[in-house]
């Protein structure tokens, strides 16, 4: 049973470009969460999604950031017009419907903005 | 609002010595508590969790943690560490029934020396 998969593992963008980060949850998991880890910091919650629904986006910056989890395919975290301050590791986690209290994390995408 | 404090940012120990990584939390509601481990350039792996029941929780790799409600603590312990335990350890908390939004501490880097 494959774990949570994220791609790409490393992403380099220039200021002003768009970044798309993908997350495939564990098989049978219907809940996806995105977190951001800045250097020397713990993870900060960004958004919680179920298929085709955003449940909690209280941690998402108000501008340039969006997330989706379509009926088919992976969850996407999209960052428009990236700035240097967006450089961080972005982690996705998933949980099954019957155990939403426990989250299983992917390996992360390390975004570098030049 | 909830918060998690990991009192030690770095903990150096010698191989086969015991270790305790401290975690305190603040919350106005009942919580679930978690410890995750992050090896270099990897995602987070769940070590153990406290949801209810016995306050002493045993996890993987010989780690255990004790939930102390009166002291609002959830310290992680291992009686004898190995070189391979060198990693960063994160304590996290979530509201019971919140379905998401883990609050993480800033992490403790455990360095095990021969």
């Amino acid at each position: 049973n494959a774990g949570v998969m994220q791609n790409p593992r490393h992403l380099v963008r220039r200021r002003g470009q768009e970044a798309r980060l993908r997350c495939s949850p564990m098989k049978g998991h219907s809940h996806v969460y995105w977190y951001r880890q800045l250097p020397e910091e713990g993870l900060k919650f960004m958004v919680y999604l179920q298929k085709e629904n955003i449940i909690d986006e209280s941690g998402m910056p108000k501008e340039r950031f969006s997330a989706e989890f379509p009926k088919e395919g992976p969850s996407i975290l999209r960052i428009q017009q990236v700035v240097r301050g967006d450089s961080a590791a972005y982690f996705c986690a998933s949980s099954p419907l019957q155990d939403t209290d426990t989250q299983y994390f992917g390996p992360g995408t390390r975004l570098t903005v030049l | 609002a909830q918060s998690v404090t990991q009192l030690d940012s770095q903990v150096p120990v010698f191989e086969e010595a015991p270790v305790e990584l401290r975690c305190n939390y603040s919350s106005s509601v009942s919580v679930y508590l978690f410890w995750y481990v992050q090896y270099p350039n990897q995602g987070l792996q769940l070590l153990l969790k406290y949801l209810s029941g016995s306050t002493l929780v045993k996890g993987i790799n010989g780690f255990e943690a004790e939930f102390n409600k009166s002291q609002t603590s959830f310290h992680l312990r291992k009686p004898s560490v190995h070189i391979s335990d060198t990693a960063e350890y994160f304590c996290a908390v979530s509201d019971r029934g919140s379905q998401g939004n883990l609050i993480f501490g800033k992490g403790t880097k455990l360095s095990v020396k021969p």
Side-chain angles (χ1 to χ4, degrees):
Chain A
N1 185 13
V4 178
M5 300 179 70
Q6 291 186 248
N7 68 81
R9 294 292 307 275
H10 300 275
L11 182 61
V12 179
R13 286 287 178 265
R14 296 190 180 280
R15 282 180 295 171
Q17 292 183 319
E18 179 179 285
R20 281 183 178 244
L21 289 64
R22 296 175 189 78
C23 169
S24 296
M26 289 178 70
K27 187 177 179 180
H29 287 196
S30 55
H31 299 244
V32 165
Y33 314 81
W34 285 93
Y35 292 82
R36 177 165 62 177
Q37 184 181 33
L38 295 169
E40 306 301 320
E41 295 283 330
L43 279 72
K44 303 290 186 188
F45 169 78
M46 298 181 75
V47 63
Y48 164 38
L49 310 104
Q50 295 179 22
K51 288 280 188 182
E52 300 183 285
N53 279 313
I54 296 175
I55 307 302
D56 181 355
E57 57 181 347
S58 59
M60 286 281 270
K62 293 288 184 275
E63 297 177 346
R64 303 188 296 109
F65 285 71
S66 62
E68 63 176 7
F69 189 16
K71 188 176 181 181
E72 301 291 336
S75 175
I76 306 287
L77 179 67
R78 182 182 179 206
I79 311 172
Q80 296 178 289
Q81 300 175 330
V82 296
V83 301
R84 289 222 174 103
D86 297 333
S87 294
Y90 292 82
F91 289 96
C92 169
S94 71
S95 62
L97 180 63
Q98 65 271 30
D99 183 18
T100 56
D101 298 312
T102 303
Q103 298 177 24
Y104 299 88
F105 282 79
T109 294
R110 279 157 181 81
L111 172 65
T112 301
V113 179
L114 302 177
Chain B
Q2 293 172 319
S3 66
V4 176
T5 302
Q6 291 184 245
L7 296 165
D8 306 298
S9 60
Q10 297 191 38
V11 173
V13 293
F14 288 105
E15 195 174 18
E16 297 184 9
V19 71
E20 178 180 82
L21 306 183
R22 296 180 291 172
C23 173
N24 288 87
Y25 68 93
S26 65
S27 177
S28 57
V29 298
S30 295
V31 297
Y32 296 137
L33 294 154
F34 306 82
W35 275 99
Y36 286 86
V37 58
Q38 184 180 30
Y39 297 102
N41 297 316
Q42 294 188 26
L44 276 70
Q45 181 181 2
L46 181 66
L47 268 180
L48 49 78
K49 60 184 178 181
Y50 171 78
L51 303 182
S52 64
S54 172
T55 56
L56 183 62
V57 181
K58 294 190 183 297
I60 62 171
N61 300 342
F63 283 94
E64 63 181 32
E66 186 158 18
F67 169 53
N68 187 319
K69 187 175 181 179
S70 62
Q71 297 186 5
T72 60
S73 67
F74 192 54
H75 301 332
L76 181 71
R77 302 186 186 99
K78 186 170 182 177
S80 176
V81 294
H82 302 290
I83 298 285
S84 59
D85 292 323
T86 295
E88 190 157 19
Y89 293 79
F90 292 95
C91 181
V93 63
S94 69
D95 279 343
R96 287 177 179 266
S98 70
Q99 294 191 349
N101 198 359
L102 283 172
I103 307 297
F104 282 86
K106 290 191 174 184
T108 297
K109 291 182 180 176
L110 176 64
S111 175
V112 181
K113 304 177 181 182

